[in-house]
Amino acid sequence: MASVPAQRVVFFGTDRTPCFMTENTQINLGNIGPEEVLVKIKLATICGYDLRILQGLSKAKTPSVLGHEAVGEVVKVGSNLDLEGIKSGDRVSFCMYDACSKCQCCQHGFQQRCYNKFMYGQGMLNCSQSFSGCFASHIILTKGTRLVKIPDSVTDKMAAPLNSAIATMMHVLSTLPKDGMKNMKVLIQGAGLFGIYGCAILHQAGYSKVYCTDYISERLKLVNWFGGVPIDMRIKSDYPTDESVDIVIEVCGNSSVIPEGIQLLRPGGVYLLVGRNQNNSSLNITVNQLVNKCLTIKGVDSYKPEHLQEGIDFIVKYSNKYPFESLVGPVFKLSDFDKAMKEATNKRFLRIGLESDC
């Protein structure tokens, strides 16, 4: 059987020395199952969740291959799959998860909460999940994973983070009020990649003003470039007045910002919680605050398959208006994963890129 050279970064856990290593191996093409898709990773990116695992701040199954953000090229499509025209050689993005389409969550349109789903970049390394993360030269996708073709006008740097942040922010947009947007003010808490995409998406949707808060000056500069109004969290005079904001969207994963968001919301306002807060975090607000201001609070988890296509369409439509490629900084080889991790930790760039040596 024909085989192809392959490479992956295996994470052993922060309690091990070394905690990861780059491994060179082979993929036997004959072992790709009839309901699997082999994709060669062209460019992967390190997101904040990956970084927290690598720093020991979040738990992961070990040993494992981390990473869920990537753009790739289809190598082989299983004989039992119909990918709606996607074939070998196509450049694609893919959902971070597969979904069974049969469980109660899937039937109610919450595929991202599928009871039987598998999350890429979160599986233990074994025979059936030997290439299930993006910090590798290849990834094997399973039945129930949505793949979307990437147009030639979208570069690898534009495409790599699409299947996480922008798809989620398209989901956020779908939950927001549709009437009166031109008179509504939105405040986004956090100018990471989610917040920056959110600025552009909500600006183009027609909201009158999109504020975005952070304390990192490099990120606040990006807010300006992507249609938002930057607010330095350390300078309270920059904030809008209390009860003057229609919608607050938390994407920073820090529950300490929630009371401030509640204070800024007008009566009848909407608060969306999108960031991945720690499991023991709390809202730290009272029932009276909710009732007296008639607030709506909603959690938005990940995205549905259709939001991935919407995110790609958005990038295509506005690629000449917003510098999407600048959101990914330097690109490192998998063999230099330690250097890539150190650069990501510095937070000088919203994303650090990874590409294989083979």
Side-chain angles (χ1 to χ4, degrees), residues 27 35 70 195 204 241 258 270:
I27 296 177
E35 296 185 339
Q204 293 304 142
T241 57
I258 294 174
V270 177

Side-chain angles (χ1 to χ4, degrees), residues 4 7 24 27 35 59 72 120 153 199 220 258 280 322 329 339:
V4 294
Q7 194 176 36
N24 295 307
I27 296 177
E35 296 185 339
K59 298 296 184 182
Y120 295 105
S153 61
C199 287
L220 291 172
I258 294 174
N280 61 353
Y322 299 111
K339 296 178 182 178

